[in-house]
Amino acid sequence: MDPQLLRSIWPVFSAETREQIQAIGAKVLGLEGPSNEREADLLPSLKRLVHSLKGSAASLGLDDIEQVVHAIEDGLAHIRTDDGLPRDAVESMLRGLSGIEAAMARGDAGQAPQVDGLAGLLKSLGRDVVLPESAAVLSGLAAKGLEALEFLEAALGALCSPDVPDRAAVVRKAMERARGLKVQALEAGSARLATLSEAAALGFARMEPGGDAASLAASEVAGTLVDLRGQLEHERPPQAVARAVETLRAVPVAVENGASGAQQAPVQQEARASTDHTVRVAVKTLDSLALQVELLVAGRSQQARRSESYRALSDGTHEVLRQLERAASELTLAGGGGAALDSLRSGVTLMRSMQKRLLEVSREAHRDSEQLALVAQVARDDLRDLRMVPASQLLEPLRRTVREVSARLNKDVALELAGGEVRLDRRILDALKDPLLHLVRNAIDHGLETPDERRQAGKSETGRLTVRVEPRGARIAVVVEDDGYGLSPERVRATAVRRGLLTEDAAAKLSDAQAARLVFQPGFSTREQVTATSGRGVGLDVVQATAARLQGSVDVEFWAGRGTRFTVDLPLTLAAALGLLVRTGTTVSAIPSDSVERVMRLTPDDVGTVAGRVVARVDGSQLTFLPLAEAIGLPRLPLAIESGRVQTAALVVVGGDKVLYAIDEVVGQQEIVVRSLGKHLQSVRHLAGAAVLDDGRVVPVLNAPELVRAARPETRSMATESRRPRILVCDDALTTRFAMKSLLEIAGFPVVTAADGEEAWGILERTSCQLVVSDWQMPRLDGVGLARRIKSHPTLHSTPIILVTSLDSPEDRAAGLEAGADGYLVKREVERGRLLELVRQLLPANAA
């Protein structure tokens, strides 16, 4: 693994490993005791811990630690809970854990985390060790090498003392012995031993001047000598261990108390600082903290709103005072007076006192609001920095995955990683692990050819797979690209027909781009047989679902015979963000401000049609122009521009794609905290979640990447070709309305919504709907009134209507059915599937 990456990951790995070592040691000791006193899950939990530690060490390339843990795992493989562990096995495992702890201490000090006496430990754990060739070579150097090493250790101890009679001579002799050992190592063919010997010689050379440079060099030389001894000995004698420990202990003491007065070596200071100032935080705790900070940000907006309310009240009070004082003056001029005038003047005085106090409260509220805003901003920035991690933590583990999958499939794959330095939210990184793994496995299995196939196609036998993270302003793109076959639309169409997702006629009408997106359908796989890699029908649908949950989208591009590219567009962080509040009809929605380039006003001359598509001219470019209401499932209302008036529009930009959406007005802009709407609404792609405004209103937050994707011509034509009976859902509660809308859309029905009976009636008059699902208790026109109006209409009387309400008494049910309702459901029955069942029963036979 890259040393820089290992250093960045090491603090987390070190803390986690120490906890695992403690837990493993306790459980190993527990297996030695009587079986009747053990927990039932003791052995399985121990095996899980050991397996987890082995995987962590392997992923970081820590071979010594991995071998010891692997040997412990092998020793546990044939143990039954009733049998327990024999004493010698327990002692061997504990010695192995101690060896790992010593290696971790080296890693904490910035040295290589090698396990002392690795061969002996593995042998005691019952694991046969095959020594590498370098070890066999070193066995011939053991005598001379150990003798030279003892001389070097003595020289280091002498140079660390305050008074050295001839410092230069000691340094010169030490360098000669070190380089002599280097020559012997090169003659024997041991590059590792030669490198360590040269490093020792250079370290001694830096110790000659003394002072601070010698202090740092002494620490490095001590570590090098330990590595030298580990290379020369597979199992170090106890007296040698003692000598090495004493040598290392002498270095900081001599440096601190020496004549130079130098402080402790920087490497040791850094290690100690990382130990003292690094703590592990559970993800659950971090998520809870993130929620509290987001609530703090939302509270700041509410506080600012209250501050404005105080100011408005103060201004209103001033106006009341002015009116009262004018009334008192007019009363005095008219000759009035007496008790009435005295009472009026007393009221004016009291009002003036109240105004003064209200003004003070207003100033205090404004000051508190500003202070809270500062605290919220600092807390949010600190939390964002805490959660932001380098993308390399997501990318680097793919190397092992690519190696394993390509070897299993007998394919040569060269993996290229880019963008590891880009920092993104830890929540996004964790959520992306499985989807990215699916994309990589899919690229190797379905995308890249075998070496023979690539040779026949005139390509290099080694396939190229690129995974990169690209920053795009406030968003990122994760791109997985291969230079293989290229996705085959014909094969995708055939698979969709075979699996019953589409009819042959419907599949034939799909464009290549439309067909390509079928790979994101649940259960879709072009693999005929189930293998270790493919054919289970699970994979790319996970990518799309995850992207939608993270307020993003996924897209696919392909070039026949040249490759395929998957792009996952995501926000950089999931923290609170600015939202642009827009109104379409009676619905207020929020669009993330970082996705809105600008808001503009279009004249009729700015809008036209090109190839049947409505476009608007902006800065010399023709952009797709659509009503936002239509894109988010609201009824199509006439646009201002259709009657020759100026139209307000928002320019939504994601990556390089731009779309103009017609809106009625911009309500405002404020910080919003996006909350998930739960699994029931995951399939509503244009929704990223919901947010609570500072005035308490709940508004839907739109998914900008999905809005842009849905505006593409091929996507819109695909939606038009798949018409099904349209259902009108009417409910004054936003959550219930969207929940029922989602439930029906999942079943494949297009849905329009209304917030009350009057709005629903207006939709029915201008839009064809084949069924109505309505709440009972609503403002303006309730569900019973809507049912009566529908059933008495000359053309709408045959439209089925289902009342969904919390009223479940026999009297209420009878009243609803008497009003003309064709079905009556209590809201708790919706979750049990009764709504879909009733919808299918009531829809006309030719429509269902």
Side-chain angles (χ1 to χ4, degrees):
M1 174 171 284
D2 180 70
Q4 184 176 357
L5 178 62
L6 180 59
R7 283 196 298 272
S8 66
I9 298 177
W10 181 265
V12 176
F13 171 76
S14 177
E16 181 183 37
T17 299
R18 292 181 187 281
E19 292 179 3
Q20 289 175 327
I21 288 174
Q22 292 180 5
I24 291 171
K27 291 179 182 295
V28 165
L29 290 172
L31 282 175
E32 188 181 22
S35 59
N36 57 354
E37 297 178 4
R38 297 181 201 141
E39 298 177 1
D41 190 46
L42 181 60
L43 183 59
S45 63
L46 173 59
K47 289 182 178 179
R48 287 194 297 270
L49 273 172
V50 172
H51 187 76
S52 176
L53 178 54
K54 184 185 74 172
S56 299
S59 65
L60 297 183
L62 305 177
D63 295 333
D64 286 12
I65 296 176
E66 180 192 9
Q67 288 187 63
V68 175
V69 181
H70 198 166
I72 294 175
E73 187 179 45
D74 288 345
L76 295 171
H78 305 293
I79 300 297
R80 295 183 302 177
T81 304
D82 295 338
D83 297 337
L85 283 173
R87 183 180 183 86
D88 58 344
V90 171
E91 291 177 353
S92 297
M93 290 181 183
L94 294 180
R95 280 199 303 272
L97 294 176
S98 299
I100 295 174
E101 284 184 323
M104 298 301 297
R106 286 196 182 88
D108 290 342
Q111 303 171 10
Q114 295 177 340
V115 176
D116 292 337
L118 177 61
L121 280 177
L122 295 178
K123 186 176 180 180
S124 68
L125 288 167
R127 187 178 177 87
D128 294 330
V129 182
V130 178
L131 294 179
E133 182 181 352
S134 59
V137 173
L138 285 176
S139 63
L141 296 173
K144 293 181 180 180
L146 290 174
E147 181 182 351
L149 185 61
E150 290 178 359
F151 178 86
L152 295 177
E153 289 173 348
L156 177 60
L159 290 173
C160 288
S161 62
D163 300 317
V164 183
D166 191 351
R167 189 178 190 89
V170 175
V171 169
R172 186 176 62 256
K173 291 179 181 179
M175 291 178 63
E176 290 175 355
R177 294 298 292 268
R179 287 198 164 124
L181 182 58
K182 172 186 175 182
V183 172
Q184 295 172 1
L186 289 174
E187 291 175 350
S190 176
R192 171 66 175 163
L193 184 58
T195 301
L196 290 172
S197 302
E198 178 62 22
L202 294 176
F204 276 113
R206 291 197 299 272
M207 291 186 67
E208 184 174 355
D212 292 345
S215 302
L216 177 59
S219 177
E220 294 177 353
V221 170
T224 302
L225 295 184
V226 172
D227 292 341
L228 265 173
R229 184 171 293 279
Q231 187 72 15
L232 287 166
E233 299 175 332
H234 293 292
E235 189 167 4
R236 190 179 305 177
Q239 61 271 24
V241 176
R243 282 197 303 272
V245 172
E246 290 302 323
T247 300
L248 288 174
R249 286 178 176 171
V251 173
V253 174
V255 171
E256 288 178 351
N257 300 324
S260 64
Q263 296 299 315
Q264 200 173 12
V267 172
Q268 294 165 334
Q269 288 179 342
E270 183 179 351
R272 181 173 296 179
S274 65
T275 302
D276 293 342
H277 301 293
T278 301
V279 295
R280 292 184 67 214
V281 180
V283 174
K284 183 178 180 181
T285 303
L286 202 56
D287 288 341
S288 176
L289 180 61
L291 177 60
Q292 302 310 315
V293 170
E294 291 170 355
L295 291 175
L296 177 62
V297 172
R300 179 258 169 186
S301 299
Q302 295 174 350
Q303 177 73 11
R305 185 180 182 86
R306 280 194 292 270
S307 177
E308 291 298 323
S309 298
Y310 287 140
R311 183 173 300 175
L313 284 174
S314 178
D315 294 342
T317 306
H318 177 73
E319 180 63 24
V320 171
L321 268 174
R322 195 169 63 83
Q323 295 290 342
L324 290 176
E325 287 173 345
R326 180 183 297 174
S329 298
E330 292 176 352
L331 187 60
T332 302
L333 292 175
L341 183 59
D342 292 341
S343 178
L344 180 58
R345 287 173 174 169
S346 297
V348 169
T349 302
L350 180 60
M351 181 65 75
R352 188 174 289 112
S353 174
M354 292 177 63
Q355 183 198 26
K356 182 179 179 181
R357 178 55 186 156
L358 188 57
L359 192 58
E360 292 174 356
V361 171
S362 176
R363 291 196 186 102
E364 292 174 358
H366 180 72
R367 185 169 57 252
D368 293 344
S369 176
E370 292 297 319
Q371 185 175 4
L372 185 59
L374 178 61
V375 171
Q377 185 64 41
V378 172
R380 188 173 64 176
D381 290 345
D382 287 347
L383 181 64
R384 184 186 60 228
D385 293 340
L386 185 63
R387 299 209 68 131
M388 301 297 277
V389 293
S392 56
Q393 295 188 20
L394 176 69
L395 299 179
E396 286 297 330
L398 295 176
R399 296 188 188 275
R400 183 175 296 271
T401 299
V402 170
R403 186 182 298 112
E404 292 175 353
V405 176
S406 60
R408 187 186 311 130
L409 298 175
N410 296 318
K411 295 182 178 181
D412 293 333
V413 181
L415 175 64
E416 298 177 11
L417 302 178
E421 72 284 356
V422 178
R423 299 180 68 84
L424 62 156
D425 196 313
R426 181 57 185 257
R427 289 173 290 183
I428 292 179
L429 184 143
D430 290 340
L432 269 181
K433 287 181 179 178
D434 285 344
L436 187 58
L437 180 64
H438 285 307
L439 286 174
V440 168
R441 290 164 62 93
N442 180 77
I444 299 173
D445 190 18
H446 295 277
L448 294 173
E449 310 95 332
T450 63
D452 290 341
E453 290 171 332
R454 292 183 66 86
R455 194 184 312 112
Q456 293 173 7
K459 298 181 179 180
S460 167
E461 292 185 4
T462 301
R464 181 177 58 83
L465 175 61
T466 303
V467 183
R468 62 182 181 271
V469 178
E470 300 176 354
R472 296 181 176 179
R475 303 185 70 82
I476 60 166
V478 181
V479 181
V480 178
E481 184 175 359
D482 65 75
D483 66 344
Y485 297 104
L487 188 145
S488 170
E490 294 77 14
R491 190 177 180 187
V492 171
R493 289 188 185 95
T495 301
V497 173
R498 186 174 62 253
R499 294 183 179 272
L501 298 177
L502 290 174
T503 64
E504 290 188 8
D505 291 341
K509 293 178 181 179
L510 296 180
S511 67
D512 287 351
Q514 294 168 357
R517 290 198 61 83
L518 289 174
V519 299
F520 298 113
Q521 292 293 320
F524 189 93
S525 176
T526 57
R527 183 69 68 196
E528 296 294 339
Q529 297 178 346
V530 176
T531 67
T533 308
S534 302
R536 291 169 171 81
V538 177
L540 296 183
D541 60 313
V542 173
V543 180
Q544 179 165 271
T546 301
R549 189 173 73 251
L550 296 176
Q551 305 167 35
S553 64
V554 60
D555 206 353
V556 58
E557 301 171 84
F558 58 94
W559 302 269
R562 293 188 292 128
T564 307
R565 178 191 299 152
F566 289 90
T567 303
V568 185
D569 181 274
L570 297 167
L572 199 61
T573 176
L574 296 178
L578 281 176
L580 184 71
L581 304 178
V582 299
R583 181 180 63 81
T584 52
T586 59
T587 301
V588 175
S589 306
I591 307 175
S593 295
D594 57 20
S595 299
V596 181
E597 184 174 286
R598 55 177 159 154
V599 176
M600 61 188 68
R601 295 173 70 80
L602 301 175
T603 65
D605 292 337
D606 295 326
V607 180
T609 58
V610 174
R613 181 168 59 99
V614 181
V615 298
R617 287 185 296 274
V618 178
D619 298 334
S621 300
Q622 293 180 338
L623 304 180
T624 300
F625 178 66
L626 296 169
L628 181 62
E630 181 180 323
I632 62 178
L634 296 175
R636 173 70 159 82
L637 299 175
L639 298 178
I641 205 165
E642 293 174 356
S643 57
R645 292 177 289 138
V646 174
Q647 176 70 57
T648 304
L651 179 56
V652 181
V653 180
V654 175
D657 296 331
K658 299 182 178 182
V659 179
L660 267 174
Y661 275 108
I663 58 176
D664 291 335
E665 68 169 327
V666 175
V667 178
Q669 180 176 260
Q670 71 173 67
E671 289 182 334
I672 57 174
V673 179
V674 183
R675 306 293 175 80
S676 171
L677 292 174
K679 62 181 180 180
H680 297 296
L681 295 179
Q682 285 181 0
S683 62
V684 185
R685 296 179 182 174
H686 66 263
L687 278 183
V692 181
L693 302 183
D694 53 16
D695 59 1
R697 285 182 295 168
V698 177
V699 297
V701 180
L702 304 182
N703 187 334
E706 186 59 34
L707 290 178
V708 171
R709 190 199 68 80
R712 295 173 183 167
E714 64 270 16
T715 306
R716 289 177 54 77
S717 62
M718 184 177 181
T720 304
E721 291 170 1
S722 58
R723 295 297 184 190
R724 294 204 61 188
R726 184 183 289 108
I727 298 175
L728 171 62
V729 172
C730 180
D731 198 299
D732 61 331
L734 175 68
T735 302
T736 304
R737 192 161 68 244
F738 273 100
M740 287 194 293
K741 179 178 184 292
S742 173
L743 181 65
L744 293 167
E745 285 182 337
I746 290 173
F749 298 104
V751 178
V752 293
T753 61
D756 57 41
E758 285 292 348
E759 185 179 349
W761 182 251
I763 293 172
L764 289 172
E765 287 184 321
R766 60 178 179 269
T767 305
S768 174
C769 296
Q770 282 70 45
L771 187 139
V772 177
V773 178
S774 176
D775 186 19
W776 183 321
Q777 297 173 311
M778 296 181 296
R780 298 203 297 174
L781 180 64
D782 62 14
V784 169
L786 177 63
R788 291 195 179 101
R789 191 177 292 184
I790 290 174
K791 294 305 180 181
S792 61
H793 195 274
T795 58
L796 298 177
H797 63 88
S798 61
T799 304
I801 179 169
I802 301 172
L803 288 180
V804 180
T805 176
S806 56
L807 305 175
D808 59 351
S809 68
E811 295 79 8
D812 294 327
R813 187 179 297 269
L817 296 176
E818 287 177 2
D822 301 275
Y824 191 104
L825 289 178
V826 180
K827 287 188 176 180
R828 61 175 175 268
E829 295 178 321
V830 173
E831 296 180 356
R832 300 173 186 168
R834 284 281 297 135
L835 177 60
L836 284 177
E837 182 182 336
L838 194 55
V839 164
R840 293 190 174 102
Q841 290 176 2
L842 293 176
L843 278 174
N846 59 349

